[in-house]
Amino acid sequence: MSICHLQVSCQPCRLGWLLIAADQQGLRALLPGDDPQALREDLHQRFPKAELQPAGPDLEECLANICHWLEKPCGEIPASLPLAPTGTAFQQRVWQALRNIRAGQHCSYRDVAHAVGQPTASRAVARACAANPLALLIPCHRVLRSDGGISGYRWGVERKRALLAEEQQLNA
């Protein structure tokens, strides 16, 4: 599937920078990082044939809502646009399972593998988490090692640790 036009916006937030991208189907990417140019390069690698355009008002509002949530977390992150991540059938199943993990909760890669009907696919689940194009909205940061420890995170272990700590405080 090729994407002809992709609206893009990038804004500073408490996590550093957030880049958001959408097309007519919905949100394609929400990427946190330290450098807006590196985020644009990541987006280009994910969508090499996309023609990038400035975000329209709906996408700008969606990003503003997400950044506002990051300042004062309360429950789930609002996404006013539909999620439309691009991935394999297995990745889609994993990402859907991740969306069922509520703020303040966590599970292991093995738990997710069981949830998608592939109990021996823990490593494949970890790869699907690393390929997740919609950080925060598809909460792969809520997946931990079987021993409860924090393992790698595509967007930095410190971001993962901070997100988990904030979500834990919501449920305290």
Short mmCIF file of all heavy atoms in Angstrom, two decimals, residues 69-135:
data_model
loop_
_atom_site.label_atom_id
_atom_site.label_comp_id
_atom_site.label_asym_id
_atom_site.label_seq_id
_atom_site.Cartn_x
_atom_site.Cartn_y
_atom_site.Cartn_z
N TRP A 69 -2.25 16.18 27.29
CA TRP A 69 -2.37 15.01 28.14
C TRP A 69 -1.03 14.68 28.80
O TRP A 69 -1.00 14.31 29.98
CB TRP A 69 -2.85 13.80 27.33
CG TRP A 69 -3.01 12.58 28.17
CD1 TRP A 69 -4.14 12.17 28.81
CD2 TRP A 69 -2.00 11.63 28.52
NE1 TRP A 69 -3.89 11.02 29.52
CE2 TRP A 69 -2.58 10.67 29.36
CE3 TRP A 69 -0.65 11.49 28.19
CZ2 TRP A 69 -1.87 9.59 29.87
CZ3 TRP A 69 0.05 10.42 28.70
CH2 TRP A 69 -0.56 9.48 29.53
N LEU A 70 0.05 14.83 28.05
CA LEU A 70 1.37 14.52 28.61
C LEU A 70 1.71 15.45 29.77
O LEU A 70 2.43 15.05 30.69
CB LEU A 70 2.45 14.62 27.53
CG LEU A 70 2.48 13.45 26.56
CD1 LEU A 70 3.39 13.76 25.38
CD2 LEU A 70 2.93 12.17 27.25
N GLU A 71 1.21 16.66 29.74
CA GLU A 71 1.46 17.61 30.84
C GLU A 71 0.65 17.25 32.09
O GLU A 71 1.11 17.42 33.20
CB GLU A 71 1.15 19.04 30.40
CG GLU A 71 2.06 19.55 29.30
CD GLU A 71 3.53 19.50 29.67
OE1 GLU A 71 3.90 19.81 30.83
OE2 GLU A 71 4.34 19.13 28.80
N LYS A 72 -0.58 16.77 31.88
CA LYS A 72 -1.46 16.41 32.99
C LYS A 72 -2.17 15.11 32.67
O LYS A 72 -3.34 15.11 32.28
CB LYS A 72 -2.48 17.53 33.23
CG LYS A 72 -1.84 18.82 33.65
CD LYS A 72 -2.87 19.88 33.93
CE LYS A 72 -2.13 21.15 34.32
NZ LYS A 72 -2.99 22.18 34.80
N PRO A 73 -1.47 13.98 32.80
CA PRO A 73 -2.08 12.70 32.43
C PRO A 73 -3.31 12.38 33.27
O PRO A 73 -3.34 12.63 34.47
CB PRO A 73 -0.98 11.68 32.70
CG PRO A 73 0.24 12.43 33.06
CD PRO A 73 -0.12 13.85 33.30
N CYS A 74 -4.31 11.87 32.61
CA CYS A 74 -5.53 11.43 33.29
C CYS A 74 -6.20 10.37 32.41
O CYS A 74 -6.80 10.70 31.41
CB CYS A 74 -6.48 12.59 33.56
SG CYS A 74 -6.91 13.53 32.09
N GLY A 75 -6.03 9.11 32.77
CA GLY A 75 -6.63 8.04 31.98
C GLY A 75 -5.88 7.81 30.68
O GLY A 75 -4.67 7.96 30.60
N GLU A 76 -6.63 7.45 29.65
CA GLU A 76 -6.03 7.15 28.36
C GLU A 76 -5.78 8.42 27.56
O GLU A 76 -6.46 9.43 27.73
CB GLU A 76 -6.93 6.21 27.56
CG GLU A 76 -7.10 4.85 28.21
CD GLU A 76 -5.80 4.10 28.44
OE1 GLU A 76 -4.93 4.07 27.56
OE2 GLU A 76 -5.63 3.55 29.55
N ILE A 77 -4.81 8.37 26.68
CA ILE A 77 -4.46 9.50 25.82
C ILE A 77 -5.55 9.69 24.78
O ILE A 77 -5.96 8.74 24.13
CB ILE A 77 -3.11 9.26 25.13
CG1 ILE A 77 -2.01 9.16 26.18
CG2 ILE A 77 -2.79 10.35 24.13
CD1 ILE A 77 -0.68 8.75 25.63
N PRO A 78 -6.02 10.92 24.61
CA PRO A 78 -7.08 11.16 23.62
C PRO A 78 -6.53 11.15 22.20
O PRO A 78 -5.52 11.76 21.91
CB PRO A 78 -7.60 12.55 23.98
CG PRO A 78 -6.40 13.23 24.59
CD PRO A 78 -5.63 12.14 25.30
N ALA A 79 -7.20 10.44 21.33
CA ALA A 79 -6.86 10.47 19.90
C ALA A 79 -8.15 10.77 19.15
O ALA A 79 -9.03 9.92 19.07
CB ALA A 79 -6.26 9.15 19.44
N SER A 80 -8.28 11.99 18.66
CA SER A 80 -9.52 12.40 18.01
C SER A 80 -9.62 11.86 16.59
O SER A 80 -10.68 11.95 15.99
CB SER A 80 -9.64 13.92 18.02
OG SER A 80 -8.50 14.51 17.44
N LEU A 81 -8.55 11.32 16.07
CA LEU A 81 -8.56 10.74 14.74
C LEU A 81 -8.40 9.23 14.84
O LEU A 81 -7.77 8.73 15.77
CB LEU A 81 -7.42 11.34 13.90
CG LEU A 81 -7.47 12.85 13.68
CD1 LEU A 81 -6.20 13.33 13.00
CD2 LEU A 81 -8.68 13.25 12.87
N PRO A 82 -8.94 8.47 13.88
CA PRO A 82 -8.80 7.01 13.94
C PRO A 82 -7.34 6.58 13.78
O PRO A 82 -6.57 7.23 13.07
CB PRO A 82 -9.65 6.52 12.78
CG PRO A 82 -9.80 7.67 11.87
CD PRO A 82 -9.69 8.91 12.71
N LEU A 83 -6.99 5.49 14.44
CA LEU A 83 -5.64 4.94 14.31
C LEU A 83 -5.59 4.08 13.07
O LEU A 83 -6.48 3.27 12.83
CB LEU A 83 -5.28 4.11 15.54
CG LEU A 83 -5.40 4.79 16.91
CD1 LEU A 83 -4.86 3.87 17.99
CD2 LEU A 83 -4.73 6.14 16.94
N ALA A 84 -4.54 4.25 12.27
CA ALA A 84 -4.38 3.49 11.03
C ALA A 84 -2.93 3.05 10.84
O ALA A 84 -2.28 3.41 9.86
CB ALA A 84 -4.86 4.33 9.84
N PRO A 85 -2.40 2.28 11.80
CA PRO A 85 -1.00 1.86 11.66
C PRO A 85 -0.84 0.84 10.53
O PRO A 85 -1.73 0.04 10.28
CB PRO A 85 -0.70 1.21 13.02
CG PRO A 85 -2.02 0.70 13.48
CD PRO A 85 -3.03 1.71 12.98
N THR A 86 0.29 0.92 9.86
CA THR A 86 0.60 -0.02 8.79
C THR A 86 1.53 -1.09 9.34
O THR A 86 2.57 -0.77 9.93
CB THR A 86 1.30 0.73 7.63
OG1 THR A 86 0.44 1.76 7.18
CG2 THR A 86 1.60 -0.21 6.48
N GLY A 87 1.15 -2.36 9.17
CA GLY A 87 1.97 -3.45 9.65
C GLY A 87 1.43 -4.78 9.16
O GLY A 87 0.38 -4.84 8.52
N THR A 88 2.15 -5.85 9.49
CA THR A 88 1.73 -7.19 9.10
C THR A 88 0.50 -7.58 9.90
O THR A 88 0.15 -6.93 10.90
CB THR A 88 2.85 -8.21 9.38
OG1 THR A 88 3.03 -8.30 10.80
CG2 THR A 88 4.15 -7.82 8.70
N ALA A 89 -0.13 -8.68 9.50
CA ALA A 89 -1.29 -9.18 10.23
C ALA A 89 -0.92 -9.50 11.69
O ALA A 89 -1.68 -9.18 12.62
CB ALA A 89 -1.87 -10.41 9.54
N PHE A 90 0.25 -10.10 11.90
CA PHE A 90 0.69 -10.40 13.27
C PHE A 90 0.89 -9.11 14.06
O PHE A 90 0.44 -9.00 15.20
CB PHE A 90 1.98 -11.23 13.25
CG PHE A 90 2.51 -11.53 14.62
CD1 PHE A 90 1.93 -12.53 15.39
CD2 PHE A 90 3.57 -10.81 15.15
CE1 PHE A 90 2.40 -12.81 16.67
CE2 PHE A 90 4.05 -11.08 16.43
CZ PHE A 90 3.47 -12.08 17.19
N GLN A 91 1.58 -8.13 13.46
CA GLN A 91 1.79 -6.85 14.16
C GLN A 91 0.45 -6.21 14.52
O GLN A 91 0.28 -5.71 15.63
CB GLN A 91 2.61 -5.90 13.29
CG GLN A 91 4.06 -6.30 13.17
CD GLN A 91 4.81 -5.48 12.14
OE1 GLN A 91 4.24 -5.00 11.14
NE2 GLN A 91 6.11 -5.31 12.36
N GLN A 92 -0.50 -6.25 13.60
CA GLN A 92 -1.82 -5.67 13.87
C GLN A 92 -2.48 -6.34 15.08
O GLN A 92 -3.08 -5.67 15.92
CB GLN A 92 -2.72 -5.78 12.64
CG GLN A 92 -2.26 -4.98 11.44
CD GLN A 92 -2.43 -3.47 11.59
OE1 GLN A 92 -3.16 -2.99 12.44
NE2 GLN A 92 -1.77 -2.72 10.73
N ARG A 93 -2.36 -7.67 15.17
CA ARG A 93 -2.95 -8.39 16.31
C ARG A 93 -2.25 -7.99 17.61
O ARG A 93 -2.91 -7.79 18.64
CB ARG A 93 -2.87 -9.90 16.09
CG ARG A 93 -3.82 -10.40 15.02
CD ARG A 93 -4.04 -11.91 15.05
NE ARG A 93 -2.93 -12.75 15.39
CZ ARG A 93 -2.06 -13.27 14.50
NH1 ARG A 93 -2.18 -13.03 13.22
NH2 ARG A 93 -1.08 -14.05 14.92
N VAL A 94 -0.93 -7.88 17.57
CA VAL A 94 -0.19 -7.46 18.76
C VAL A 94 -0.60 -6.05 19.15
O VAL A 94 -0.89 -5.78 20.32
CB VAL A 94 1.34 -7.55 18.53
CG1 VAL A 94 2.11 -6.86 19.65
CG2 VAL A 94 1.77 -9.00 18.38
N TRP A 95 -0.63 -5.14 18.18
CA TRP A 95 -0.97 -3.76 18.50
C TRP A 95 -2.38 -3.64 19.06
O TRP A 95 -2.63 -2.84 19.96
CB TRP A 95 -0.79 -2.87 17.27
CG TRP A 95 0.64 -2.83 16.79
CD1 TRP A 95 1.78 -3.09 17.52
CD2 TRP A 95 1.09 -2.52 15.48
NE1 TRP A 95 2.89 -2.96 16.73
CE2 TRP A 95 2.50 -2.60 15.47
CE3 TRP A 95 0.44 -2.18 14.30
CZ2 TRP A 95 3.27 -2.36 14.35
CZ3 TRP A 95 1.21 -1.92 13.17
CH2 TRP A 95 2.60 -2.01 13.19
N GLN A 96 -3.31 -4.45 18.56
CA GLN A 96 -4.66 -4.44 19.13
C GLN A 96 -4.64 -4.95 20.56
O GLN A 96 -5.30 -4.39 21.43
CB GLN A 96 -5.61 -5.28 18.28
CG GLN A 96 -7.05 -5.20 18.74
CD GLN A 96 -7.57 -3.77 18.80
OE1 GLN A 96 -7.47 -3.02 17.84
NE2 GLN A 96 -8.14 -3.38 19.94
N ALA A 97 -3.88 -5.99 20.83
CA ALA A 97 -3.76 -6.50 22.20
C ALA A 97 -3.17 -5.45 23.13
O ALA A 97 -3.61 -5.30 24.28
CB ALA A 97 -2.91 -7.78 22.22
N LEU A 98 -2.20 -4.70 22.65
CA LEU A 98 -1.58 -3.64 23.46
C LEU A 98 -2.60 -2.57 23.83
O LEU A 98 -2.56 -2.01 24.93
CB LEU A 98 -0.40 -3.01 22.74
CG LEU A 98 0.79 -3.92 22.43
CD1 LEU A 98 1.86 -3.15 21.67
CD2 LEU A 98 1.35 -4.56 23.67
N ARG A 99 -3.51 -2.28 22.92
CA ARG A 99 -4.52 -1.24 23.17
C ARG A 99 -5.49 -1.67 24.28
O ARG A 99 -6.19 -0.83 24.84
CB ARG A 99 -5.27 -0.91 21.89
CG ARG A 99 -4.35 -0.20 20.89
CD ARG A 99 -5.04 0.15 19.62
NE ARG A 99 -6.01 1.19 19.87
CZ ARG A 99 -6.99 1.49 19.04
NH1 ARG A 99 -7.13 0.84 17.91
NH2 ARG A 99 -7.83 2.45 19.34
N ASN A 100 -5.51 -2.95 24.62
CA ASN A 100 -6.37 -3.43 25.70
C ASN A 100 -5.71 -3.32 27.07
O ASN A 100 -6.36 -3.59 28.08
CB ASN A 100 -6.77 -4.89 25.43
CG ASN A 100 -7.65 -5.01 24.20
OD1 ASN A 100 -8.43 -4.11 23.88
ND2 ASN A 100 -7.51 -6.11 23.49
N ILE A 101 -4.45 -2.94 27.12
CA ILE A 101 -3.75 -2.77 28.40
C ILE A 101 -4.02 -1.35 28.88
O ILE A 101 -3.61 -0.38 28.24
CB ILE A 101 -2.23 -3.01 28.26
CG1 ILE A 101 -1.94 -4.35 27.60
CG2 ILE A 101 -1.56 -2.92 29.63
CD1 ILE A 101 -0.48 -4.51 27.17
N ARG A 102 -4.70 -1.20 29.98
CA ARG A 102 -5.09 0.11 30.49
C ARG A 102 -3.92 0.82 31.17
O ARG A 102 -2.97 0.17 31.64
CB ARG A 102 -6.25 -0.03 31.49
CG ARG A 102 -7.44 -0.77 30.95
CD ARG A 102 -8.38 -0.11 29.97
NE ARG A 102 -7.99 0.92 29.07
CZ ARG A 102 -8.08 0.84 27.74
NH1 ARG A 102 -8.48 -0.25 27.16
NH2 ARG A 102 -7.76 1.86 26.98
N ALA A 103 -4.03 2.13 31.27
CA ALA A 103 -3.02 2.94 31.96
C ALA A 103 -2.85 2.44 33.38
O ALA A 103 -3.83 2.16 34.07
CB ALA A 103 -3.43 4.41 31.95
N GLY A 104 -1.61 2.30 33.82
CA GLY A 104 -1.30 1.82 35.16
C GLY A 104 -1.16 0.31 35.23
O GLY A 104 -0.74 -0.21 36.25
N GLN A 105 -1.52 -0.39 34.17
CA GLN A 105 -1.36 -1.83 34.11
C GLN A 105 -0.17 -2.16 33.23
O GLN A 105 0.30 -1.32 32.46
CB GLN A 105 -2.61 -2.50 33.53
CG GLN A 105 -3.86 -2.28 34.34
CD GLN A 105 -5.07 -2.91 33.67
OE1 GLN A 105 -5.10 -3.11 32.47
NE2 GLN A 105 -6.07 -3.22 34.47
N HIS A 106 0.32 -3.38 33.34
CA HIS A 106 1.38 -3.84 32.45
C HIS A 106 1.26 -5.34 32.30
O HIS A 106 0.53 -6.00 33.04
CB HIS A 106 2.77 -3.42 32.93
CG HIS A 106 3.09 -3.88 34.31
ND1 HIS A 106 3.47 -5.15 34.62
CD2 HIS A 106 3.07 -3.21 35.49
CE1 HIS A 106 3.69 -5.26 35.91
NE2 HIS A 106 3.44 -4.10 36.48
N CYS A 107 1.94 -5.87 31.33
CA CYS A 107 1.98 -7.31 31.12
C CYS A 107 3.33 -7.66 30.50
O CYS A 107 4.11 -6.78 30.15
CB CYS A 107 0.82 -7.78 30.25
SG CYS A 107 0.87 -7.14 28.58
N SER A 108 3.57 -8.94 30.35
CA SER A 108 4.84 -9.38 29.78
C SER A 108 4.68 -9.65 28.29
O SER A 108 3.56 -9.77 27.77
CB SER A 108 5.31 -10.67 30.48
OG SER A 108 4.45 -11.75 30.13
N TYR A 109 5.80 -9.76 27.61
CA TYR A 109 5.78 -10.13 26.19
C TYR A 109 5.10 -11.49 26.02
O TYR A 109 4.35 -11.71 25.08
CB TYR A 109 7.20 -10.16 25.62
CG TYR A 109 7.85 -8.80 25.62
CD1 TYR A 109 8.74 -8.42 26.62
CD2 TYR A 109 7.57 -7.87 24.62
CE1 TYR A 109 9.33 -7.17 26.63
CE2 TYR A 109 8.15 -6.62 24.61
CZ TYR A 109 9.03 -6.27 25.63
OH TYR A 109 9.60 -5.03 25.63
N ARG A 110 5.34 -12.39 26.96
CA ARG A 110 4.71 -13.71 26.93
C ARG A 110 3.19 -13.59 27.06
O ARG A 110 2.44 -14.28 26.37
CB ARG A 110 5.27 -14.60 28.04
CG ARG A 110 4.70 -16.01 28.01
CD ARG A 110 5.22 -16.89 29.14
NE ARG A 110 6.67 -16.81 29.23
CZ ARG A 110 7.36 -16.90 30.36
NH1 ARG A 110 6.73 -17.09 31.50
NH2 ARG A 110 8.66 -16.82 30.37
N ASP A 111 2.72 -12.70 27.95
CA ASP A 111 1.28 -12.49 28.10
C ASP A 111 0.66 -12.03 26.78
O ASP A 111 -0.42 -12.49 26.39
CB ASP A 111 0.98 -11.44 29.17
CG ASP A 111 1.38 -11.87 30.57
OD1 ASP A 111 1.44 -13.08 30.84
OD2 ASP A 111 1.63 -10.96 31.39
N VAL A 112 1.33 -11.12 26.10
CA VAL A 112 0.81 -10.62 24.83
C VAL A 112 0.82 -11.73 23.79
O VAL A 112 -0.13 -11.89 23.02
CB VAL A 112 1.61 -9.39 24.34
CG1 VAL A 112 1.12 -8.93 22.97
CG2 VAL A 112 1.52 -8.24 25.34
N ALA A 113 1.88 -12.54 23.78
CA ALA A 113 1.95 -13.66 22.84
C ALA A 113 0.77 -14.61 23.05
O ALA A 113 0.14 -15.05 22.08
CB ALA A 113 3.28 -14.41 23.00
N HIS A 114 0.44 -14.88 24.30
CA HIS A 114 -0.73 -15.72 24.59
C HIS A 114 -2.01 -15.03 24.13
O HIS A 114 -2.90 -15.68 23.57
CB HIS A 114 -0.80 -16.04 26.09
CG HIS A 114 0.10 -17.15 26.51
ND1 HIS A 114 -0.25 -18.46 26.41
CD2 HIS A 114 1.34 -17.11 27.04
CE1 HIS A 114 0.74 -19.22 26.86
NE2 HIS A 114 1.73 -18.41 27.24
N ALA A 115 -2.11 -13.73 24.36
CA ALA A 115 -3.33 -12.98 23.99
C ALA A 115 -3.59 -13.01 22.48
O ALA A 115 -4.74 -12.96 22.06
CB ALA A 115 -3.22 -11.54 24.47
N VAL A 116 -2.53 -13.10 21.68
CA VAL A 116 -2.71 -13.14 20.23
C VAL A 116 -2.70 -14.56 19.69
O VAL A 116 -2.67 -14.76 18.47
CB VAL A 116 -1.67 -12.26 19.48
CG1 VAL A 116 -1.79 -10.80 19.91
CG2 VAL A 116 -0.25 -12.77 19.66
N GLY A 117 -2.73 -15.55 20.60
CA GLY A 117 -2.82 -16.94 20.18
C GLY A 117 -1.54 -17.56 19.68
O GLY A 117 -1.55 -18.56 18.98
N GLN A 118 -0.39 -16.98 20.05
CA GLN A 118 0.92 -17.50 19.65
C GLN A 118 1.81 -17.56 20.89
O GLN A 118 2.73 -16.76 21.04
CB GLN A 118 1.54 -16.59 18.60
CG GLN A 118 0.65 -16.36 17.40
CD GLN A 118 1.26 -16.92 16.16
OE1 GLN A 118 2.07 -16.29 15.54
NE2 GLN A 118 0.86 -18.13 15.82
N PRO A 119 1.56 -18.51 21.79
CA PRO A 119 2.23 -18.52 23.09
C PRO A 119 3.75 -18.62 23.04
O PRO A 119 4.41 -18.27 24.02
CB PRO A 119 1.62 -19.73 23.80
CG PRO A 119 0.93 -20.52 22.77
CD PRO A 119 0.62 -19.61 21.62
N THR A 120 4.33 -19.06 21.94
CA THR A 120 5.80 -19.16 21.86
C THR A 120 6.42 -17.98 21.09
O THR A 120 7.59 -18.02 20.77
CB THR A 120 6.21 -20.48 21.18
OG1 THR A 120 5.68 -20.50 19.85
CG2 THR A 120 5.71 -21.68 21.97
N ALA A 121 5.64 -16.96 20.85
CA ALA A 121 6.10 -15.85 19.99
C ALA A 121 6.51 -14.60 20.78
O ALA A 121 6.35 -13.48 20.29
CB ALA A 121 5.02 -15.51 18.97
N SER A 122 7.07 -14.78 21.97
CA SER A 122 7.46 -13.62 22.79
C SER A 122 8.43 -12.69 22.06
O SER A 122 8.31 -11.47 22.12
CB SER A 122 8.08 -14.08 24.10
OG SER A 122 7.14 -14.77 24.87
N ARG A 123 9.41 -13.26 21.36
CA ARG A 123 10.38 -12.43 20.64
C ARG A 123 9.72 -11.69 19.48
O ARG A 123 10.04 -10.54 19.21
CB ARG A 123 11.55 -13.26 20.15
CG ARG A 123 12.46 -13.69 21.28
CD ARG A 123 13.63 -14.51 20.76
NE ARG A 123 14.39 -15.04 21.85
CZ ARG A 123 15.63 -14.68 22.12
NH1 ARG A 123 16.24 -13.80 21.37
NH2 ARG A 123 16.27 -15.22 23.14
N ALA A 124 8.80 -12.35 18.81
CA ALA A 124 8.07 -11.70 17.71
C ALA A 124 7.20 -10.56 18.26
O ALA A 124 7.05 -9.52 17.61
CB ALA A 124 7.23 -12.70 16.94
N VAL A 125 6.64 -10.75 19.44
CA VAL A 125 5.88 -9.68 20.09
C VAL A 125 6.80 -8.50 20.38
O VAL A 125 6.43 -7.34 20.13
CB VAL A 125 5.19 -10.19 21.38
CG1 VAL A 125 4.69 -9.02 22.23
CG2 VAL A 125 4.06 -11.14 21.04
N ALA A 126 8.00 -8.77 20.88
CA ALA A 126 8.95 -7.69 21.15
C ALA A 126 9.29 -6.93 19.87
O ALA A 126 9.37 -5.70 19.86
CB ALA A 126 10.22 -8.26 21.79
N ARG A 127 9.46 -7.66 18.75
CA ARG A 127 9.74 -6.99 17.47
C ARG A 127 8.55 -6.16 17.01
O ARG A 127 8.72 -5.06 16.48
CB ARG A 127 10.14 -8.01 16.42
CG ARG A 127 11.55 -8.55 16.62
CD ARG A 127 12.05 -9.38 15.44
NE ARG A 127 11.24 -10.57 15.19
CZ ARG A 127 11.40 -11.74 15.80
NH1 ARG A 127 12.35 -11.88 16.71
NH2 ARG A 127 10.63 -12.77 15.52
N ALA A 128 7.33 -6.66 17.23
CA ALA A 128 6.13 -5.90 16.87
C ALA A 128 6.05 -4.63 17.71
O ALA A 128 5.67 -3.57 17.20
CB ALA A 128 4.88 -6.75 17.04
N CYS A 129 6.41 -4.74 18.98
CA CYS A 129 6.43 -3.54 19.84
C CYS A 129 7.44 -2.52 19.31
O CYS A 129 7.15 -1.32 19.25
CB CYS A 129 6.77 -3.91 21.28
SG CYS A 129 5.45 -4.78 22.15
N ALA A 130 8.60 -2.98 18.89
CA ALA A 130 9.64 -2.09 18.37
C ALA A 130 9.21 -1.44 17.05
O ALA A 130 9.64 -0.34 16.73
CB ALA A 130 10.95 -2.84 18.18
N ALA A 131 8.34 -2.11 16.30
CA ALA A 131 7.88 -1.58 15.01
C ALA A 131 6.64 -0.70 15.16
O ALA A 131 6.21 -0.09 14.17
CB ALA A 131 7.56 -2.74 14.06
N ASN A 132 6.10 -0.59 16.34
CA ASN A 132 4.89 0.18 16.59
C ASN A 132 5.07 1.63 16.11
O ASN A 132 5.93 2.34 16.60
CB ASN A 132 4.59 0.15 18.09
CG ASN A 132 3.46 1.05 18.51
OD1 ASN A 132 2.69 1.54 17.70
ND2 ASN A 132 3.35 1.26 19.81
N PRO A 133 4.23 2.08 15.17
CA PRO A 133 4.37 3.44 14.67
C PRO A 133 3.60 4.48 15.47
O PRO A 133 3.72 5.68 15.21
CB PRO A 133 3.80 3.34 13.25
CG PRO A 133 2.73 2.31 13.38
CD PRO A 133 3.27 1.31 14.39
N LEU A 134 2.79 4.04 16.43
CA LEU A 134 1.94 4.97 17.18
C LEU A 134 2.23 4.89 18.67
O LEU A 134 1.41 4.44 19.47
CB LEU A 134 0.46 4.67 16.90
CG LEU A 134 -0.01 5.01 15.49
CD1 LEU A 134 -1.35 4.37 15.19
CD2 LEU A 134 -0.08 6.52 15.30
N ALA A 135 3.43 5.37 19.04
CA ALA A 135 3.83 5.37 20.45
C ALA A 135 2.75 6.07 21.26
O ALA A 135 2.08 6.98 20.77
CB ALA A 135 5.15 6.11 20.61
#
